[in-house]
Amino acid sequence: MTPSARLYTPPVFASKEPKISTDCYCVLDRDTGETVVSKSMKSVRELASITKTMTLFTTLNLLEKYKINIDSKIIVTEKSASISGNSAHLKCGDILTIRDICYALSLPSGNDAGYLLAWFFGKTIKNKGVFD
């Protein structure tokens, strides 16, 4: 797709100085591989956000693969509620949908939500005989 064929550019990327509230970012053109806009893209960063993105990606794929409804409910475990670092402040015993836990992983970047999803899908896959 050529740049002239694009029909819509989200306002956040309409100028060279988009209003994005992060210290660094990089948006690439999928077709050309060229950098569209960036800020501090060569700075060294921790991989926590990428790990959470991959946890979300894996969760969505596992939901589809095992035909699990995203509105299925999970009880927050004591271990997941006590995970350190960034937190969505999950409370042991709370009952949340997978959808809500995905939001808790994404928006406040909750380590507790990531742990809970990993625990749930690890248990689910094991019970389906994948590791036997």
Side-chain angles (χ1 to χ4, degrees), residues 55-69:
T55 300
L56 182 58
F57 176 77
T58 302
T59 295
L60 296 174
N61 280 306
L62 291 172
L63 288 172
E64 184 176 344
K65 180 175 183 174
Y66 293 104
K67 303 198 180 348
I68 299 170
N69 188 314

Side-chain angles (χ1 to χ4, degrees), residues 2-97:
T2 62
S4 61
R6 295 200 175 126
L7 299 176
Y8 176 73
T9 300
V12 72
F13 299 120
S15 73
K16 289 290 182 187
E17 294 297 326
K19 293 181 181 178
I20 298 175
S21 61
T22 186
D23 294 333
C24 63
Y25 56 86
C26 178
V27 178
L28 301 175
D29 183 301
R30 182 183 79 169
D31 299 322
T32 66
E34 293 179 29
T35 302
V36 176
V37 63
S38 68
K39 176 182 174 186
S40 303
M41 71 182 222
K42 294 186 180 187
S43 66
V44 177
R45 306 291 292 180
E46 292 185 27
L47 295 177
S49 293
I50 292 173
T51 302
K52 289 173 188 152
T53 300
M54 289 307 300
T55 300
L56 182 58
F57 176 77
T58 302
T59 295
L60 296 174
N61 280 306
L62 291 172
L63 288 172
E64 184 176 344
K65 180 175 183 174
Y66 293 104
K67 303 198 180 348
I68 299 170
N69 188 314
I70 196 167
D71 291 313
S72 298
K73 293 183 172 36
I74 300 176
I75 299 172
V76 177
T77 64
E78 183 176 343
K79 176 71 175 169
S80 62
S82 65
I83 295 297
S84 63
N86 288 353
S87 178
H89 305 290
L90 303 182
K91 303 290 183 223
C92 180
D94 283 352
I95 301 171
L96 302 170
T97 65

